[in-house]
Amino acid sequence: MTIEIHAGAVSQSRAEAQSGLRRVLTSAAIGQFVEWYDFVVYAYSAAIIAKLFFPSTDPTAALLATFAIYAVGFIMRPLGGFVFGSLGDRIGRRRVLSMVILMMGAATLGIGLLPTYSQIGLLAPILLVVCRLVQGMSAAGETVAPTPSSPSMRPASAVVSMSGSRIHLPICRPSWPRFLSCC
C-alpha cells in the first residue's frame, strides 16, 4: 500500500483564494438558479402543457404523459454529467458552463415556441421530449461544470494506492483548536 500526500493550490494568498472561491460560488449559484428555474417552470405549467401537447380525450393520461416527459430531464442527467464533465476537462469549465446555460435557454425557448398537438399532431410531444432531453443534459452539465477537477484546484488530499487502484481522500483538519484558542 502506497500513500502520497498532495497539497492543493498553496501558492495563492488567503485573500486571493477567498475571492476566487466567492466568485466561483456566486457564478455556480446563479447558474443553478437559471437551470432549475426552467425545471420548475415546466412543473408548474404541467396542466397547461398537458392540454396543449396531448389529445384532449383523456386529461388524466395527458397530465401523466406530461410528467413522464418531465422525468426524461432527470433521466438524462447522468449522461449529461459524463459528457460535459469530460468536455470541461478538455476545453475548459468556463466554456462548458456558458454552453450549457445557452443550451438550457434554447431548449426552454424551444418549448415555448413549439406548435401544439392540434397544429402538428404527434410530432408536438416528440419535439417536447427532445427539448426536455436537452434541458436534462444541460442541467447536469451545469452541475458538473463549475466543479474543479485539476489537481491545482483541489484541496489537499491523500492518494491511497492498493493493487493499482487509486483513491483520493480529502485531508481534513479539525477546526476545534481555532475555537479553543479564543478561551
Side-chain angles (χ1 to χ4, degrees), residues 152-166:
S152 63
M153 293 287 288
R154 288 187 195 139
S157 64
V159 178
V160 179
S161 178
M162 292 184 206
S163 66
S165 60
R166 301 181 75 152

Side-chain angles (χ1 to χ4, degrees), residues 15-69:
E16 288 173 343
Q18 285 180 343
S19 172
L21 180 62
R22 194 173 298 122
R23 189 178 57 206
V24 167
L25 288 175
T26 301
S27 65
I30 291 169
Q32 287 290 320
F33 175 78
V34 169
E35 299 298 322
W36 289 106
Y37 176 78
D38 295 329
F39 269 71
V40 169
V41 166
Y42 184 93
Y44 281 140
S45 305
I48 296 167
I49 291 171
K51 289 178 184 176
L52 294 176
F53 289 98
F54 295 98
S56 59
T57 56
D58 189 3
T60 305
L63 188 60
L64 288 173
T66 302
F67 282 122
I69 292 175

Side-chain angles (χ1 to χ4, degrees), residues 71-154:
V72 166
F74 291 100
I75 292 170
M76 287 301 290
R77 293 197 61 187
L79 178 63
F82 177 74
V83 168
F84 291 119
S86 62
L87 189 62
D89 289 340
R90 283 186 271 138
I91 67 168
R93 298 199 175 271
R94 182 176 290 179
R95 286 183 181 168
V96 170
L97 184 60
S98 298
M99 184 172 42
V100 296
I101 288 174
L102 289 173
M103 283 176 57
M104 178 63 90
T108 303
L109 178 67
I111 290 173
L113 297 177
L114 280 178
T116 63
Y117 182 83
S118 63
Q119 294 171 332
I120 62 170
L122 191 58
L123 192 58
I126 292 170
L127 292 173
L128 183 62
V129 168
V130 170
C131 289
R132 289 294 300 153
L133 290 171
V134 172
Q135 280 185 330
M137 280 192 69
S138 65
E142 200 285 321
T143 303
V144 171
T147 307
S149 68
S150 65
S152 63
M153 293 287 288
R154 288 187 195 139

